[in-house]
């Protein structure tokens, strides 16, 4: 049995940038590019208050809208959190989970990422589940151990059919917002490792279907070399996703 080739996905993570009006402006400008001609899936992750407007601005286009986090409970006294149903009610279909900035600055752990991930999957959202090592961990040659622990923790209790709807993202913390991209070879090594871990946890065919995005200083001029690696199936883009022409440069690459 041959597996269908994995479709490239380019996702923009807008982090804490852009009001709703700015998000709409971006999407309107971005829709002018010949997106449908590209065999690439495109997603954008605005802030919570911009999601509703972004979904409406993207209607009728191939652009998918993602949230940057989601809570595991359906509702309750949980100040500052947003539930799966709330995202779905505004038409959001995807969610980024376990981003290193959430882990680093907001106390997110493998366990909380796992709870969010399972809730997202149970509610029918497509998660982009992020893993990645810090500079200290890489320098101590702990990269693969860290990634293995994050995968095991994040995907604990996630069955095969749910894992099949999960997208992974490898984002080395030392490459995020630093202008320091992992070389395609360094990224490929970790992507290959992630796929082999997924094959061990689930099976080879599932591991071959799951998309693994790379994130960390992806730009129009380094995107093609990264995507050319056998286990890199797309990009999760921060800074270079904030301007429509630059982001198009990555999709077009
Ligand atoms: P930069 O592309 O700005 O390095 O950010 C990467 C990232 O964190 C995407 O989620």
């Amino acid at each position: 049995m041959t597996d269908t080739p994995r479709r490239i996905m380019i996702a923009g993570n807008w982090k804490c940038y852009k009001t709703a009006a700015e998000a709409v402006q971006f999407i309107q400008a971005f829709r002018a590019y010949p997106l449908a001609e590209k065999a690439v899936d495109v997603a954008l992750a605005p802030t919570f208050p911009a999601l509703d407007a972004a979904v409406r601005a993207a209607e009728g286009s191939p652009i998918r809208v993602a949230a940057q986090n989601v809570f595991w409970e359906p509702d309750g006294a949980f100040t500052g959190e947003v539930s799966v149903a709330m995202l779905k009610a505004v038409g959001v279909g995807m969610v980024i989970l376990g981003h290193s900035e959430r882990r680093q600055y907001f106390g997110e752990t493998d366990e909380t990422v796992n709870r969010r991930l399972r809730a997202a999957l149970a509610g029918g959202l497509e998660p982009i589940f992020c893993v990645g090592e810090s500079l200290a961990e890489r320098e101590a040659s702990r990269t693969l151990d860290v990634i293995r622990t994050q995968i095991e923790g994040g995907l604990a209790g996630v069955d095969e059919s749910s894992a099949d709807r999960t997208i992974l993202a490898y984002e080395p913390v030392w490459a995020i917002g630093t202008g320091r991209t992992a070389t395609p070879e360094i990224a490929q090594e970790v992507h290959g490792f992630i796929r082999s871990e997924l094959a061990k946890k689930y099976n080879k065919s599932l591991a071959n279907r799951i998309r693994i995005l790379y994130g960390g200083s992806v730009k129009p001029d380094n995107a093609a070399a990264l995507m050319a690696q056998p286990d890199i199936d797309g990009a999760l883009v921060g800074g270079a996703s904030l301007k429509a022409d630059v982001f198009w440069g990555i999709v077009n690459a």
Side-chain angles (χ1 to χ4, degrees):
M1 196 177 77
T2 53
D3 295 310
T4 47
R6 298 180 295 269
R7 209 174 136 90
I8 294 277
M9 163 165 282
I10 308 292
N13 174 10
W14 284 350
K15 307 190 178 184
C16 193
Y17 292 100
K18 291 193 194 294
T19 62
E22 288 163 346
V24 168
Q25 218 171 31
F26 178 108
I27 291 170
Q28 283 168 350
F30 194 69
R31 288 184 68 154
Y33 294 103
L35 247 190
E37 291 169 18
K38 299 278 157 194
V40 170
D41 290 335
V42 171
L44 292 169
T47 59
F48 287 128
L51 286 172
D52 185 25
V55 167
R56 282 183 280 123
E59 240 160 31
S61 84
I63 302 167
R64 301 188 59 196
V65 176
Q68 297 174 21
N69 203 3
V70 74
F71 188 46
W72 54 82
E73 293 290 345
D75 52 24
F78 302 107
T79 303
E81 295 293 328
V82 170
S83 75
V84 173
M86 291 164 192
L87 294 181
K88 290 182 71 185
V90 291
V92 169
M94 300 181 73
V95 60
I96 298 172
L97 290 171
H99 191 279
S100 66
E101 286 149 16
R102 299 295 322 165
R103 295 176 189 260
Q104 237 183 315
Y105 307 133
F106 302 100
E108 205 76 72
T109 64
D110 290 336
E111 197 211 324
T112 58
V113 173
N114 176 250
R115 294 179 82 167
R116 295 179 196 277
L117 187 74
R118 283 187 291 144
L121 285 163
L125 289 177
E126 193 175 358
I128 300 179
F129 163 44
C130 306
V131 297
E133 82 286 6
S134 67
L135 182 59
E137 288 162 343
R138 172 157 288 267
E139 286 176 343
S141 304
R142 291 188 47 226
T143 298
L144 301 186
D145 284 339
V146 168
I147 302 294
R148 181 187 293 115
T149 304
Q150 289 175 341
I151 290 177
E152 272 172 12
L155 292 178
V158 173
D159 66 16
E160 200 178 310
S161 75
S162 297
D164 220 353
R165 291 184 287 121
T166 303
I167 296 168
L168 268 84
Y170 169 56
E171 298 207 313
V173 176
W174 47 271
I176 296 178
T178 57
R180 214 181 133 178
T181 325
T183 62
E185 294 71 28
I186 290 177
Q188 167 57 32
E189 186 199 357
V190 180
H191 281 237
F193 174 76
I194 292 171
R195 207 176 298 288
S196 69
E197 286 297 297
L198 294 170
K200 261 195 270 171
K201 184 173 168 62
Y202 299 101
N203 57 67
K204 215 166 163 198
S205 141
L206 177 69
N208 282 335
R209 284 196 302 273
I210 291 185
R211 290 187 282 190
I212 308 172
L213 316 184
Y214 169 78
S217 299
V218 176
K219 305 269 173 329
D221 62 2
N222 61 23
L226 286 159
M227 302 309 122
Q229 296 294 323
D231 288 302
I232 302 184
D233 309 313
L236 184 54
V237 186
S241 71
L242 293 169
K243 291 215 167 79
D245 56 339
V246 181
F247 190 57
W248 172 252
I250 293 173
V251 174
N252 202 23

